[in-house]
Amino acid sequence: LFEYIPEDVEVILEDTYENELTDLRKITSYTFNITETGIIDDRFILHFNMNLPPVVINTIENQQTLEDEMFNLELDKDIFSDPNPGDELTYSASLSEGQALPEWLIFDEESFSFYGLPENDDVGVYSIWLYATDNYEATTYTNFILEVINVNDPPYVSIPLTDQQVEINNILEYHIPDNSFLDIDIDDELSYSAKLEDGYELPSWILFNEIDRLFTAMPEESDIGEYNIEVFATDL
């Protein structure tokens, strides 16, 4: 029979007595029972159908999640339907145009869910495509937007500052090295300030240029001593 039927045509046997549908392409034999004598008209009906792709019947709302927060989206399988009786759907997911999902985002076909933990580098907007494929490789998809929202991270000390010495009646210039403070947030800018320990203002002979991150010290004999200076980096 199947020698003369194109592969994209389903051959479904309907048993009206048992109210069952059987895809004859999936089996090598079919067994049925007769429990009543006499004639049952039209018990078996053969259906020849051109395979139709799955259809989208429900959309997925756009999603937002925070950086460093677990994302979990459980879906209902009524998003898709298949017009052909007996077809079973398999599911997969990608970014737009077939690109692989980011490493942090997992699609679990068994639970029909997305989950993952985005980090700072994953902040951004993603177009997620969800596919449904039937027994004959016919596929359809729906898509939604997933936005990973940045959570501000504080600056941190990358290179510790070094202690300095200066003799009286001399001038010390100390420039805070580049990359002494870093911030992993994209496009964050740092501003700088300096005070003595416990929040006291710098003495008048110690100047700090916040823009150039430059200390200039011009001590006199009355300034002899040790000064604990705290430098602050503040993000936007």
Short mmCIF file of all heavy atoms in Angstrom, two decimals, residues 169-232:
data_model
loop_
_atom_site.label_atom_id
_atom_site.label_comp_id
_atom_site.label_asym_id
_atom_site.label_seq_id
_atom_site.Cartn_x
_atom_site.Cartn_y
_atom_site.Cartn_z
N ASN A 169 59.04 69.93 53.57
CA ASN A 169 59.48 70.93 52.61
C ASN A 169 59.78 70.34 51.23
O ASN A 169 60.51 70.95 50.43
CB ASN A 169 60.72 71.70 53.13
CG ASN A 169 60.43 72.41 54.44
OD1 ASN A 169 59.35 72.98 54.60
ND2 ASN A 169 61.37 72.34 55.37
N ASN A 170 59.24 69.16 51.00
CA ASN A 170 59.32 68.56 49.67
C ASN A 170 57.89 68.39 49.13
O ASN A 170 56.90 68.53 49.86
CB ASN A 170 60.03 67.22 49.70
CG ASN A 170 61.54 67.39 49.82
OD1 ASN A 170 62.23 67.70 48.86
ND2 ASN A 170 62.05 67.17 51.04
N ILE A 171 57.82 68.05 47.84
CA ILE A 171 56.51 67.86 47.22
C ILE A 171 56.38 66.40 46.78
O ILE A 171 57.28 65.85 46.14
CB ILE A 171 56.33 68.77 45.99
CG1 ILE A 171 56.37 70.25 46.43
CG2 ILE A 171 55.01 68.47 45.28
CD1 ILE A 171 56.28 71.21 45.26
N LEU A 172 55.27 65.79 47.17
CA LEU A 172 54.97 64.42 46.73
C LEU A 172 53.77 64.46 45.79
O LEU A 172 52.75 65.09 46.10
CB LEU A 172 54.64 63.53 47.93
CG LEU A 172 54.02 62.15 47.58
CD1 LEU A 172 55.07 61.25 46.94
CD2 LEU A 172 53.41 61.50 48.80
N GLU A 173 53.91 63.82 44.66
CA GLU A 173 52.78 63.62 43.77
C GLU A 173 52.54 62.11 43.64
O GLU A 173 53.45 61.37 43.28
CB GLU A 173 53.03 64.24 42.39
CG GLU A 173 53.01 65.76 42.39
CD GLU A 173 53.05 66.33 40.99
OE1 GLU A 173 53.38 65.57 40.05
OE2 GLU A 173 52.76 67.53 40.82
N TYR A 174 51.33 61.71 43.99
CA TYR A 174 50.98 60.28 43.92
C TYR A 174 49.69 60.14 43.11
O TYR A 174 48.63 60.64 43.50
CB TYR A 174 50.80 59.69 45.32
CG TYR A 174 50.30 58.26 45.32
CD1 TYR A 174 50.98 57.27 44.63
CD2 TYR A 174 49.15 57.91 46.02
CE1 TYR A 174 50.53 55.95 44.63
CE2 TYR A 174 48.68 56.59 46.03
CZ TYR A 174 49.38 55.63 45.33
OH TYR A 174 48.93 54.34 45.32
N HIS A 175 49.81 59.45 41.98
CA HIS A 175 48.67 59.23 41.09
C HIS A 175 48.11 57.83 41.33
O HIS A 175 48.85 56.84 41.28
CB HIS A 175 49.12 59.38 39.63
CG HIS A 175 48.02 59.20 38.64
ND1 HIS A 175 47.73 57.98 38.07
CD2 HIS A 175 47.13 60.09 38.13
CE1 HIS A 175 46.71 58.13 37.23
NE2 HIS A 175 46.33 59.40 37.25
N ILE A 176 46.83 57.76 41.63
CA ILE A 176 46.20 56.45 41.81
C ILE A 176 46.26 55.71 40.49
O ILE A 176 45.76 56.20 39.47
CB ILE A 176 44.74 56.61 42.27
CG1 ILE A 176 44.69 57.29 43.64
CG2 ILE A 176 44.05 55.25 42.33
CD1 ILE A 176 43.28 57.57 44.13
N PRO A 177 46.89 54.54 40.45
CA PRO A 177 47.08 53.84 39.16
C PRO A 177 45.75 53.50 38.48
O PRO A 177 44.72 53.33 39.12
CB PRO A 177 47.83 52.56 39.57
CG PRO A 177 48.45 52.88 40.89
CD PRO A 177 47.50 53.82 41.57
N ASP A 178 45.83 53.43 37.15
CA ASP A 178 44.67 52.96 36.40
C ASP A 178 44.30 51.56 36.86
O ASP A 178 45.17 50.75 37.23
CB ASP A 178 44.99 52.94 34.90
CG ASP A 178 45.23 54.34 34.34
OD1 ASP A 178 44.76 55.31 34.97
OD2 ASP A 178 45.89 54.45 33.30
N ASN A 179 43.02 51.27 36.82
CA ASN A 179 42.50 49.94 37.17
C ASN A 179 42.68 49.59 38.64
O ASN A 179 42.55 48.42 39.02
CB ASN A 179 43.11 48.84 36.30
CG ASN A 179 42.78 49.02 34.83
OD1 ASN A 179 41.70 49.51 34.49
ND2 ASN A 179 43.70 48.63 33.97
N SER A 180 42.99 50.59 39.49
CA SER A 180 43.01 50.31 40.92
C SER A 180 41.63 49.93 41.41
O SER A 180 41.45 49.08 42.27
CB SER A 180 43.53 51.52 41.69
OG SER A 180 44.89 51.75 41.40
N PHE A 181 40.62 50.60 40.82
CA PHE A 181 39.23 50.28 41.10
C PHE A 181 38.57 49.87 39.79
O PHE A 181 38.80 50.49 38.75
CB PHE A 181 38.48 51.48 41.68
CG PHE A 181 39.00 51.95 43.01
CD1 PHE A 181 40.01 52.88 43.08
CD2 PHE A 181 38.48 51.44 44.19
CE1 PHE A 181 40.48 53.33 44.31
CE2 PHE A 181 38.95 51.88 45.41
CZ PHE A 181 39.97 52.82 45.49
N LEU A 182 37.75 48.84 39.86
CA LEU A 182 37.03 48.37 38.67
C LEU A 182 35.55 48.21 38.99
O LEU A 182 35.16 48.06 40.15
CB LEU A 182 37.59 47.04 38.17
CG LEU A 182 39.04 47.04 37.67
CD1 LEU A 182 39.45 45.63 37.25
CD2 LEU A 182 39.22 48.01 36.50
N ASP A 183 34.75 48.25 37.93
CA ASP A 183 33.31 48.02 38.06
C ASP A 183 32.87 47.14 36.89
O ASP A 183 33.15 47.47 35.74
CB ASP A 183 32.56 49.36 38.02
CG ASP A 183 31.11 49.21 38.46
OD1 ASP A 183 30.39 48.40 37.83
OD2 ASP A 183 30.70 49.87 39.42
N ILE A 184 32.23 46.02 37.19
CA ILE A 184 31.88 45.08 36.12
C ILE A 184 30.64 45.48 35.36
O ILE A 184 30.33 44.89 34.33
CB ILE A 184 31.69 43.65 36.68
CG1 ILE A 184 30.49 43.57 37.61
CG2 ILE A 184 32.95 43.18 37.38
CD1 ILE A 184 30.18 42.15 38.05
N ASP A 185 29.89 46.47 35.83
CA ASP A 185 28.69 46.90 35.12
C ASP A 185 29.07 47.62 33.84
O ASP A 185 29.94 48.50 33.83
CB ASP A 185 27.83 47.82 36.00
CG ASP A 185 27.20 47.07 37.14
OD1 ASP A 185 26.58 46.02 36.88
OD2 ASP A 185 27.33 47.51 38.29
N ILE A 186 28.37 47.28 32.76
CA ILE A 186 28.65 47.87 31.46
C ILE A 186 28.37 49.37 31.51
O ILE A 186 27.32 49.81 31.99
CB ILE A 186 27.80 47.20 30.37
CG1 ILE A 186 28.14 45.70 30.30
CG2 ILE A 186 28.01 47.85 29.02
CD1 ILE A 186 27.24 44.92 29.37
N ASP A 187 29.32 50.16 31.01
CA ASP A 187 29.18 51.61 30.88
C ASP A 187 29.09 52.35 32.21
O ASP A 187 28.74 53.53 32.24
CB ASP A 187 27.95 51.98 30.02
CG ASP A 187 28.08 51.46 28.59
OD1 ASP A 187 29.22 51.39 28.10
OD2 ASP A 187 27.04 51.14 27.98
N ASP A 188 29.38 51.68 33.32
CA ASP A 188 29.42 52.40 34.59
C ASP A 188 30.68 53.27 34.64
O ASP A 188 31.74 52.87 34.18
CB ASP A 188 29.41 51.42 35.77
CG ASP A 188 28.32 51.76 36.77
OD1 ASP A 188 27.69 52.82 36.61
OD2 ASP A 188 28.10 50.99 37.71
N GLU A 189 30.55 54.46 35.21
CA GLU A 189 31.68 55.35 35.39
C GLU A 189 31.90 55.59 36.87
O GLU A 189 30.93 55.62 37.65
CB GLU A 189 31.43 56.69 34.67
CG GLU A 189 31.31 56.55 33.16
CD GLU A 189 31.05 57.89 32.49
OE1 GLU A 189 30.99 58.91 33.22
OE2 GLU A 189 30.90 57.92 31.26
N LEU A 190 33.16 55.77 37.25
CA LEU A 190 33.50 55.93 38.66
C LEU A 190 33.92 57.37 38.95
O LEU A 190 34.59 58.01 38.13
CB LEU A 190 34.64 54.98 39.04
CG LEU A 190 34.35 53.48 38.86
CD1 LEU A 190 35.56 52.66 39.31
CD2 LEU A 190 33.10 53.05 39.61
N SER A 191 33.52 57.84 40.10
CA SER A 191 34.02 59.12 40.62
C SER A 191 34.79 58.82 41.91
O SER A 191 34.56 57.80 42.57
CB SER A 191 32.88 60.10 40.88
OG SER A 191 31.96 59.55 41.80
N TYR A 192 35.71 59.73 42.27
CA TYR A 192 36.65 59.44 43.35
C TYR A 192 36.63 60.55 44.39
O TYR A 192 36.38 61.73 44.08
CB TYR A 192 38.07 59.27 42.80
CG TYR A 192 38.18 58.14 41.79
CD1 TYR A 192 37.94 58.36 40.44
CD2 TYR A 192 38.51 56.86 42.20
CE1 TYR A 192 38.02 57.33 39.52
CE2 TYR A 192 38.60 55.81 41.30
CZ TYR A 192 38.34 56.06 39.96
OH TYR A 192 38.42 55.03 39.05
N SER A 193 36.90 60.17 45.62
CA SER A 193 37.04 61.13 46.71
C SER A 193 38.01 60.55 47.73
O SER A 193 38.33 59.36 47.70
CB SER A 193 35.68 61.42 47.36
OG SER A 193 35.12 60.23 47.88
N ALA A 194 38.48 61.42 48.63
CA ALA A 194 39.45 60.97 49.63
C ALA A 194 39.24 61.74 50.92
O ALA A 194 38.91 62.94 50.91
CB ALA A 194 40.87 61.17 49.11
N LYS A 195 39.40 61.03 52.03
CA LYS A 195 39.32 61.63 53.36
C LYS A 195 40.33 60.93 54.27
O LYS A 195 40.87 59.86 53.93
CB LYS A 195 37.92 61.47 53.93
CG LYS A 195 36.86 62.32 53.24
CD LYS A 195 35.52 62.21 53.95
CE LYS A 195 34.50 63.14 53.28
NZ LYS A 195 33.19 63.10 53.99
N LEU A 196 40.54 61.54 55.42
CA LEU A 196 41.31 60.85 56.43
C LEU A 196 40.45 59.75 57.05
O LEU A 196 39.23 59.71 56.89
CB LEU A 196 41.77 61.81 57.52
CG LEU A 196 42.80 62.88 57.13
CD1 LEU A 196 43.18 63.71 58.35
CD2 LEU A 196 44.04 62.24 56.51
N GLU A 197 41.11 58.87 57.74
CA GLU A 197 40.39 57.79 58.43
C GLU A 197 39.34 58.38 59.36
O GLU A 197 39.52 59.47 59.91
CB GLU A 197 41.40 56.94 59.22
CG GLU A 197 40.84 55.64 59.74
CD GLU A 197 41.93 54.82 60.41
OE1 GLU A 197 42.83 55.43 61.02
OE2 GLU A 197 41.89 53.58 60.31
N ASP A 198 38.23 57.69 59.52
CA ASP A 198 37.11 58.12 60.36
C ASP A 198 36.36 59.31 59.79
O ASP A 198 35.58 59.96 60.49
CB ASP A 198 37.57 58.43 61.79
CG ASP A 198 38.17 57.21 62.49
OD1 ASP A 198 37.69 56.08 62.20
OD2 ASP A 198 39.09 57.38 63.29
N GLY A 199 36.58 59.62 58.51
CA GLY A 199 35.77 60.62 57.85
C GLY A 199 36.25 62.05 57.97
O GLY A 199 35.56 62.96 57.50
N TYR A 200 37.40 62.29 58.55
CA TYR A 200 37.90 63.66 58.67
C TYR A 200 38.42 64.15 57.32
O TYR A 200 38.93 63.37 56.51
CB TYR A 200 39.03 63.74 59.71
CG TYR A 200 38.53 63.50 61.13
CD1 TYR A 200 38.74 62.28 61.76
CD2 TYR A 200 37.86 64.51 61.82
CE1 TYR A 200 38.29 62.06 63.05
CE2 TYR A 200 37.41 64.29 63.12
CZ TYR A 200 37.62 63.07 63.72
OH TYR A 200 37.16 62.85 65.00
N GLU A 201 38.28 65.47 57.09
CA GLU A 201 38.77 66.05 55.85
C GLU A 201 40.29 65.99 55.80
O GLU A 201 40.98 65.98 56.84
CB GLU A 201 38.30 67.50 55.72
CG GLU A 201 36.79 67.68 55.66
CD GLU A 201 36.22 67.04 54.41
OE1 GLU A 201 36.92 67.02 53.37
OE2 GLU A 201 35.06 66.56 54.47
N LEU A 202 40.82 65.96 54.57
CA LEU A 202 42.27 65.99 54.40
C LEU A 202 42.83 67.31 54.93
O LEU A 202 42.17 68.36 54.82
CB LEU A 202 42.63 65.85 52.91
CG LEU A 202 42.28 64.55 52.22
CD1 LEU A 202 42.64 64.64 50.73
CD2 LEU A 202 42.99 63.36 52.85
N PRO A 203 44.02 67.28 55.50
CA PRO A 203 44.65 68.56 55.92
C PRO A 203 44.92 69.43 54.70
O PRO A 203 45.01 68.94 53.57
CB PRO A 203 45.93 68.10 56.60
CG PRO A 203 46.22 66.74 56.06
CD PRO A 203 44.89 66.12 55.77
N SER A 204 45.05 70.69 54.94
CA SER A 204 45.16 71.66 53.84
C SER A 204 46.40 71.43 52.98
O SER A 204 46.42 71.82 51.80
CB SER A 204 45.16 73.08 54.40
OG SER A 204 46.25 73.25 55.31
N TRP A 205 47.43 70.78 53.51
CA TRP A 205 48.66 70.60 52.74
C TRP A 205 48.61 69.33 51.85
O TRP A 205 49.53 69.08 51.09
CB TRP A 205 49.89 70.55 53.67
CG TRP A 205 49.82 69.47 54.72
CD1 TRP A 205 49.26 69.55 55.94
CD2 TRP A 205 50.34 68.15 54.60
NE1 TRP A 205 49.38 68.37 56.61
CE2 TRP A 205 50.06 67.48 55.81
CE3 TRP A 205 51.04 67.46 53.61
CZ2 TRP A 205 50.43 66.18 56.05
CZ3 TRP A 205 51.42 66.16 53.85
CH2 TRP A 205 51.10 65.52 55.06
N ILE A 206 47.53 68.57 51.98
CA ILE A 206 47.32 67.41 51.09
C ILE A 206 46.16 67.73 50.16
O ILE A 206 45.02 67.91 50.60
CB ILE A 206 47.02 66.12 51.88
CG1 ILE A 206 48.16 65.78 52.85
CG2 ILE A 206 46.79 64.95 50.91
CD1 ILE A 206 47.90 64.53 53.69
N LEU A 207 46.42 67.80 48.89
CA LEU A 207 45.40 68.10 47.90
C LEU A 207 45.09 66.84 47.09
O LEU A 207 46.00 66.05 46.80
CB LEU A 207 45.87 69.21 46.95
CG LEU A 207 46.30 70.53 47.62
CD1 LEU A 207 46.79 71.50 46.56
CD2 LEU A 207 45.16 71.13 48.42
N PHE A 208 43.83 66.67 46.77
CA PHE A 208 43.44 65.52 45.94
C PHE A 208 42.63 66.02 44.76
O PHE A 208 41.56 66.63 44.93
CB PHE A 208 42.62 64.50 46.74
CG PHE A 208 42.17 63.32 45.92
CD1 PHE A 208 43.10 62.50 45.29
CD2 PHE A 208 40.82 63.03 45.77
CE1 PHE A 208 42.69 61.40 44.53
CE2 PHE A 208 40.39 61.94 45.01
CZ PHE A 208 41.33 61.13 44.38
N ASN A 209 43.14 65.79 43.55
CA ASN A 209 42.43 66.12 42.31
C ASN A 209 41.59 64.90 41.91
O ASN A 209 42.13 63.89 41.47
CB ASN A 209 43.44 66.48 41.21
CG ASN A 209 42.78 66.95 39.94
OD1 ASN A 209 41.77 66.38 39.50
ND2 ASN A 209 43.34 68.00 39.34
N GLU A 210 40.27 65.00 42.07
CA GLU A 210 39.39 63.86 41.83
C GLU A 210 39.38 63.42 40.37
O GLU A 210 39.26 62.23 40.07
CB GLU A 210 37.96 64.23 42.27
CG GLU A 210 37.85 64.56 43.74
CD GLU A 210 36.45 65.00 44.11
OE1 GLU A 210 35.57 64.99 43.22
OE2 GLU A 210 36.22 65.36 45.29
N ILE A 211 39.50 64.39 39.47
CA ILE A 211 39.44 64.05 38.04
C ILE A 211 40.69 63.29 37.61
O ILE A 211 40.61 62.27 36.91
CB ILE A 211 39.27 65.33 37.20
CG1 ILE A 211 37.93 66.00 37.54
CG2 ILE A 211 39.34 65.00 35.70
CD1 ILE A 211 37.70 67.31 36.82
N ASP A 212 41.85 63.78 38.03
CA ASP A 212 43.11 63.13 37.64
C ASP A 212 43.54 62.03 38.61
O ASP A 212 44.55 61.36 38.37
CB ASP A 212 44.22 64.18 37.54
CG ASP A 212 43.96 65.21 36.45
OD1 ASP A 212 43.32 64.84 35.45
OD2 ASP A 212 44.38 66.37 36.60
N ARG A 213 42.80 61.87 39.71
CA ARG A 213 43.14 60.89 40.75
C ARG A 213 44.57 61.13 41.25
O ARG A 213 45.37 60.21 41.41
CB ARG A 213 42.99 59.45 40.23
CG ARG A 213 41.65 59.12 39.63
CD ARG A 213 41.46 57.63 39.39
NE ARG A 213 42.55 57.02 38.66
CZ ARG A 213 42.68 57.05 37.35
NH1 ARG A 213 41.79 57.69 36.60
NH2 ARG A 213 43.71 56.46 36.75
N LEU A 214 44.87 62.40 41.52
CA LEU A 214 46.25 62.80 41.87
C LEU A 214 46.29 63.44 43.25
O LEU A 214 45.56 64.41 43.53
CB LEU A 214 46.77 63.79 40.82
CG LEU A 214 48.18 64.34 41.07
CD1 LEU A 214 49.23 63.22 40.97
CD2 LEU A 214 48.49 65.47 40.08
N PHE A 215 47.14 62.88 44.12
CA PHE A 215 47.45 63.50 45.41
C PHE A 215 48.69 64.38 45.26
O PHE A 215 49.69 63.96 44.64
CB PHE A 215 47.72 62.43 46.48
CG PHE A 215 46.49 61.73 46.98
CD1 PHE A 215 46.10 60.52 46.43
CD2 PHE A 215 45.75 62.29 48.01
CE1 PHE A 215 44.98 59.87 46.90
CE2 PHE A 215 44.62 61.63 48.48
CZ PHE A 215 44.23 60.42 47.92
N THR A 216 48.63 65.55 45.85
CA THR A 216 49.81 66.43 45.93
C THR A 216 50.00 66.82 47.40
O THR A 216 49.07 67.38 48.01
CB THR A 216 49.63 67.70 45.09
OG1 THR A 216 49.36 67.33 43.72
CG2 THR A 216 50.90 68.55 45.12
N ALA A 217 51.15 66.50 47.94
CA ALA A 217 51.42 66.75 49.36
C ALA A 217 52.62 67.68 49.50
O ALA A 217 53.67 67.45 48.89
CB ALA A 217 51.66 65.44 50.09
N MET A 218 52.46 68.74 50.33
CA MET A 218 53.55 69.71 50.57
C MET A 218 53.64 69.95 52.07
O MET A 218 53.16 70.98 52.58
CB MET A 218 53.26 71.01 49.82
CG MET A 218 53.21 70.85 48.31
SD MET A 218 52.66 72.33 47.43
CE MET A 218 50.90 72.33 47.84
N PRO A 219 54.26 69.02 52.85
CA PRO A 219 54.25 69.13 54.31
C PRO A 219 55.33 70.08 54.84
O PRO A 219 56.39 70.27 54.22
CB PRO A 219 54.54 67.69 54.75
CG PRO A 219 55.39 67.15 53.65
CD PRO A 219 54.88 67.78 52.38
N GLU A 220 55.01 70.65 55.99
CA GLU A 220 55.99 71.44 56.74
C GLU A 220 56.35 70.67 58.01
O GLU A 220 55.83 69.59 58.27
CB GLU A 220 55.40 72.81 57.06
CG GLU A 220 55.08 73.63 55.82
CD GLU A 220 54.47 74.98 56.14
OE1 GLU A 220 54.20 75.24 57.36
OE2 GLU A 220 54.25 75.78 55.21
N GLU A 221 57.21 71.25 58.80
CA GLU A 221 57.70 70.53 59.98
C GLU A 221 56.56 70.20 60.95
O GLU A 221 56.56 69.14 61.57
CB GLU A 221 58.76 71.37 60.69
CG GLU A 221 59.43 70.63 61.85
CD GLU A 221 60.64 71.37 62.38
OE1 GLU A 221 61.01 72.41 61.80
OE2 GLU A 221 61.21 70.89 63.38
N SER A 222 55.57 71.07 61.02
CA SER A 222 54.46 70.83 61.96
C SER A 222 53.54 69.70 61.49
O SER A 222 52.66 69.26 62.24
CB SER A 222 53.64 72.12 62.12
OG SER A 222 53.12 72.55 60.85
N ASP A 223 53.77 69.22 60.25
CA ASP A 223 52.89 68.17 59.70
C ASP A 223 53.49 66.78 59.83
O ASP A 223 52.92 65.80 59.32
CB ASP A 223 52.63 68.46 58.21
CG ASP A 223 51.99 69.81 57.99
OD1 ASP A 223 51.09 70.16 58.76
OD2 ASP A 223 52.39 70.51 57.04
N ILE A 224 54.64 66.68 60.51
CA ILE A 224 55.28 65.38 60.64
C ILE A 224 54.33 64.39 61.33
O ILE A 224 53.67 64.73 62.31
CB ILE A 224 56.60 65.50 61.44
CG1 ILE A 224 57.64 66.27 60.62
CG2 ILE A 224 57.12 64.12 61.85
CD1 ILE A 224 58.93 66.52 61.38
N GLY A 225 54.25 63.19 60.78
CA GLY A 225 53.39 62.18 61.38
C GLY A 225 52.90 61.20 60.32
O GLY A 225 53.31 61.24 59.15
N GLU A 226 52.02 60.33 60.74
CA GLU A 226 51.45 59.32 59.83
C GLU A 226 49.96 59.61 59.65
O GLU A 226 49.25 59.89 60.61
CB GLU A 226 51.64 57.92 60.42
CG GLU A 226 51.18 56.80 59.50
CD GLU A 226 51.44 55.42 60.09
OE1 GLU A 226 52.54 54.88 59.88
OE2 GLU A 226 50.54 54.90 60.77
N TYR A 227 49.54 59.55 58.40
CA TYR A 227 48.15 59.87 58.06
C TYR A 227 47.53 58.68 57.31
O TYR A 227 48.07 58.22 56.30
CB TYR A 227 48.09 61.12 57.18
CG TYR A 227 48.63 62.36 57.86
CD1 TYR A 227 50.01 62.59 57.92
CD2 TYR A 227 47.78 63.30 58.46
CE1 TYR A 227 50.52 63.70 58.55
CE2 TYR A 227 48.29 64.43 59.10
CZ TYR A 227 49.66 64.62 59.15
OH TYR A 227 50.17 65.74 59.77
N ASN A 228 46.45 58.18 57.84
CA ASN A 228 45.72 57.10 57.17
C ASN A 228 44.65 57.71 56.26
O ASN A 228 43.70 58.34 56.74
CB ASN A 228 45.07 56.18 58.19
CG ASN A 228 46.10 55.40 58.99
OD1 ASN A 228 47.11 54.96 58.44
ND2 ASN A 228 45.87 55.25 60.28
N ILE A 229 44.85 57.54 54.95
CA ILE A 229 43.97 58.16 53.96
C ILE A 229 43.10 57.08 53.31
O ILE A 229 43.60 56.04 52.89
CB ILE A 229 44.80 58.90 52.89
CG1 ILE A 229 45.60 60.03 53.56
CG2 ILE A 229 43.90 59.45 51.79
CD1 ILE A 229 46.54 60.75 52.62
N GLU A 230 41.82 57.37 53.26
CA GLU A 230 40.88 56.46 52.61
C GLU A 230 40.46 57.05 51.27
O GLU A 230 40.08 58.22 51.18
CB GLU A 230 39.66 56.24 53.50
CG GLU A 230 39.98 55.52 54.80
CD GLU A 230 38.75 55.32 55.67
OE1 GLU A 230 37.77 56.05 55.48
OE2 GLU A 230 38.78 54.44 56.56
N VAL A 231 40.52 56.22 50.23
CA VAL A 231 40.10 56.63 48.89
C VAL A 231 38.83 55.88 48.53
O VAL A 231 38.73 54.66 48.69
CB VAL A 231 41.21 56.33 47.85
CG1 VAL A 231 40.74 56.74 46.45
CG2 VAL A 231 42.50 57.07 48.23
N PHE A 232 37.84 56.60 48.03
CA PHE A 232 36.53 56.03 47.71
C PHE A 232 36.28 56.10 46.21
O PHE A 232 36.56 57.12 45.56
CB PHE A 232 35.41 56.81 48.42
CG PHE A 232 35.53 56.82 49.93
CD1 PHE A 232 36.30 57.80 50.56
CD2 PHE A 232 34.91 55.86 50.70
CE1 PHE A 232 36.42 57.81 51.95
CE2 PHE A 232 35.02 55.87 52.08
CZ PHE A 232 35.77 56.84 52.70
#
